[in-house]
Amino acid sequence: MTRIAVYLTGSIAAYKGIEVVRGLQKMGHEVRVGMTDAATKLVTPATPFALTKAPVLTDLWDEHSTPIPHIELADWSELAVVVPASANIIAKMATGLADDAVSTTLLATTSAPKIVVPAMNSHMWLAPATQRNITQLKQDGVNIMPPVSGRLAEGYAGRGRLPEPAAICQYIEDFLTSSQALKGKHVIVTAGGTRENIDPVRFIGNRSSGKMGIALANAAVQAGAKVTLIAGQVTVSLPQTPAIEVVRVTTTEDLYISLKERFSQADILIMAAAVADYRPVETVGHKIKKKDGDPHLTITLTETIDILKNIAKMKQTGQYVVGFAAETNDLLENANRKLASKNADMIIANSVAGETGAFGSDQNQVTILQKDQTPIKLARQSKAKIANEIIELVSAKLKSGD
Ligand code: CTP
């Protein structure tokens, strides 16, 4: 049994939200409902009130309700589902607006995961602003069950229809099951690129965006884990949820120190960071100036520590270590070598060559290598989906004790 807050918003599909409430109750969950003003024009609050036998949150200023109703419902809920989610509530959630009972409660919901099930006219769904807001919500760790194509209330066909209530209930149930997989486990994910300073204004860096590591951190949270994200240089915003402790590092040395301090408390380490292999022998204390008559500048580099290799040596029974292999050629051969040489339990091999390479993209194509097992080649898909598959596989490994 999970305590689920269902939020109905102003979409013509609001009546289907009521069916979702019933479906979740039949599955044994305890449900409470919040409604926006627009939703109350489409469905009367008396219906969810009769079903849930609990006050329906519609107004922040209702003098007969509990003293701070939005905080009370936010804290009570173990899962928040916005169904149907209008373009308006999606925009508010994406920007953190809190100007009515539902948006305020959703903003105050920090520990419970959120599922958003959009339903709207296809033009509104495809509008760049809505798509931008959806991308933002995904980055914030919100789960989106996408709308389906079909006949819309406007009388024509398009994408924007709410999925059937039974499918939504199943999605929620699957989410709740998978969100137990890493309950009680601590996962450390490293993400982004390290930087090695040449002088106070210049550095050696790499093209890592941090997207894969962030997707893995979000997926681990969804699976119920406590997550520490150790992030180097990233080009996207870092997750801002209390479920993820974010630690910032700059150099390879910083990353190593940070990881060494924490590794013994972790059940799983995922090294998605793109770590510099070389650093300048010395970091010059002042800006290096051009020299008249000498067009050359020599910077002598020295190897950095191989973090994964050294940390994985400290592995105790029950700890699981995942590394990445970024290759431009001979992908599997090189990645297999890393699996053995770095003492990793799993290596995620990805190509960083050319236009379709992993760096910076929202998509990736990876092959998962494990000792004495046939490689698993995943389809080219979003980094979020790949992250879910990796976390699912690692959870299963941890459970089976392999
Ligand atoms: N890694 C690490 N410390 C380093 C270099 C890499 O911990 N100094 C980790 C990466 O986070 C990744 C894995 O090792 O999980 C493989 O990284 P990759 O850059 O693909 O390989 P390298 O070890 O750098 O080897 P090469 O440059 O020869 O491909």
Side-chain angles (χ1 to χ4, degrees), residues 86-146:
S86 64
N88 192 37
I89 193 72
I90 288 168
K92 287 185 190 179
M93 288 176 78
T95 46
L97 263 179
D99 64 351
D100 66 0
V102 169
S103 54
T104 308
T105 312
L106 283 166
L107 191 65
T109 303
T110 47
S111 54
K114 296 175 191 142
I115 296 177
V116 163
V117 196
M120 65 195 75
N121 171 272
S122 54
H123 303 312
M124 292 172 77
W125 170 247
L126 294 172
T130 303
Q131 289 304 312
R132 205 167 46 238
N133 291 333
I134 289 286
T135 305
Q136 182 62 54
L137 288 185
K138 284 184 186 165
Q139 257 177 35
D140 294 345
V142 175
N143 305 279
I144 311 289
M145 182 183 186

Side-chain angles (χ1 to χ4, degrees), residues 190 252 255 270-277 304-309 322-327 334 338 342 347:
T190 68
T252 302
L255 177 53
I270 307 181
M271 278 292 297
V275 183
D277 291 328
T304 57
I305 183 162
D306 189 320
I307 301 176
L308 177 56
K309 195 172 178 171
V322 181
F324 271 70
E327 308 294 346
N334 284 329
K338 284 177 190 169
K342 297 200 182 231
I347 286 280

Side-chain angles (χ1 to χ4, degrees), residues 212-288:
M212 192 67 236
I214 292 170
L216 282 158
N218 285 332
V221 167
Q222 267 177 32
K226 174 178 165 233
V227 175
T228 302
L229 176 66
I230 307 181
Q233 193 59 31
V234 295
T235 60
V236 289
S237 24
L238 288 163
Q240 288 180 356
T241 145
I244 303 181
E245 178 206 12
V246 178
V247 179
R248 296 306 305 266
V249 292
T250 305
T251 65
T252 302
E253 183 68 18
D254 293 344
L255 177 53
Y256 180 56
I257 292 170
S258 177
L259 210 46
K260 220 166 51 167
E261 267 172 26
R262 295 172 170 84
F263 180 64
S264 63
Q265 286 113 53
D267 298 285
I268 300 167
L269 165 65
I270 307 181
M271 278 292 297
V275 183
D277 291 328
Y278 294 93
R279 64 172 172 80
V281 170
E282 58 156 347
T283 299
V284 181
H286 55 84
K287 186 181 174 211
I288 300 173

